[in-house]
Amino acid sequence: MQFATAKWYDRRDFVYIEFCVEDSKDVQVNFDKSKIIFSCVGGTDKIKHQNVLDLFEEIDPKESKHRRTDRSVSCCLRKAEAGKPWPRLTKDKAKFNWLSVDFNNWKDWEDDSDDDLSSFDKFSEMMNSMGGDDIPDLDGADDEQESADSDDEKMPDLE
């Protein structure tokens, strides 16, 4: 058996872990208050993976879930104490070579008041604050542009 490579990130109410095992089979994820046990058989080589994590803080095992895809197994752990940041995933301060922070999803949520807004909502809010009322009507703009465009004039021949 060997460890599955994993990435994790923290949110206000949840901690997310992604075990990066392609084509996983026989996936088992056991949630306990202070521990998670992950195991599966993965890849074309059918390697057995197992990870046992003593978590930094307690979770709610009944509200924690996992989902398998062709590329990984994602776990969503509901924090027992919401709003408390986790500086690391495990109780032990040791570095594990198979575990890393998922910087693509990491976010400093402690100071973020817009946590409930989706990315689309944030984008829409930004566009509205820029004043989108000045945008002209573009119907028929192509016809007017052709006659007024000076780039369409014939260039003189090069000598």
Side-chain angles (χ1 to χ4, degrees):
M1 272 205 217
Q2 71 182 44
F3 293 108
T5 302
K7 305 185 281 189
W8 79 283
Y9 62 98
D10 183 32
R11 287 291 193 269
R12 189 174 308 279
D13 299 330
F14 296 95
V15 171
Y16 296 90
I17 307 170
E18 181 180 15
F19 293 97
C20 305
V21 180
E22 292 186 16
D23 300 322
S24 59
K25 299 197 181 356
D26 302 326
V27 174
Q28 292 184 343
V29 182
N30 297 318
F31 299 110
D32 188 40
K33 278 186 168 185
S34 60
K35 184 184 285 192
I36 178 174
I37 301 170
F38 168 79
S39 64
C40 73
V41 175
T44 55
D45 300 337
K46 298 187 191 291
I47 297 171
K48 291 182 182 180
H49 298 276
Q50 184 173 17
N51 300 58
V52 179
L53 297 163
D54 289 319
L55 299 170
F56 179 75
E57 291 283 338
E58 289 189 356
I59 62 169
D60 183 348
K62 293 178 182 171
E63 293 293 319
S64 299
K65 300 177 180 1
H66 75 279
R67 187 186 74 202
R68 182 202 162 279
T69 65
D70 290 340
R71 303 194 60 137
S72 65
V73 177
S74 298
C75 298
C76 178
L77 313 177
R78 165 133 354 233
K79 292 179 179 179
E81 195 174 329
K84 187 173 181 183
W86 288 23
R88 61 184 177 277
L89 181 61
T90 61
K91 189 172 284 295
D92 190 8
K93 288 185 178 183
K95 297 262 185 192
F96 301 101
N97 61 355
W98 52 267
L99 180 63
S100 64
V101 173
D102 186 351
F103 287 107
N104 290 333
N105 289 308
W106 189 268
K107 159 179 171 175
D108 289 331
W109 53 264
E110 295 172 273
D111 300 327
D112 189 10
S113 61
D114 294 333
D115 195 33
D116 296 332
L117 293 177
S118 69
S119 296
F120 180 76
D121 290 337
K122 288 179 186 176
F123 177 74
S124 296
E125 192 174 276
M126 179 187 70
M127 293 303 287
N128 288 339
S129 70
M130 293 173 68
D133 296 333
D134 301 350
I135 300 173
D137 184 17
L138 298 178
D139 288 343
D142 290 314
D143 299 335
E144 294 173 20
Q145 180 107 14
E146 285 180 24
S147 61
D149 194 355
S150 64
D151 291 345
D152 292 339
E153 294 176 11
K154 186 174 179 184
M155 301 261 318
D157 292 335
L158 295 175
E159 296 180 12

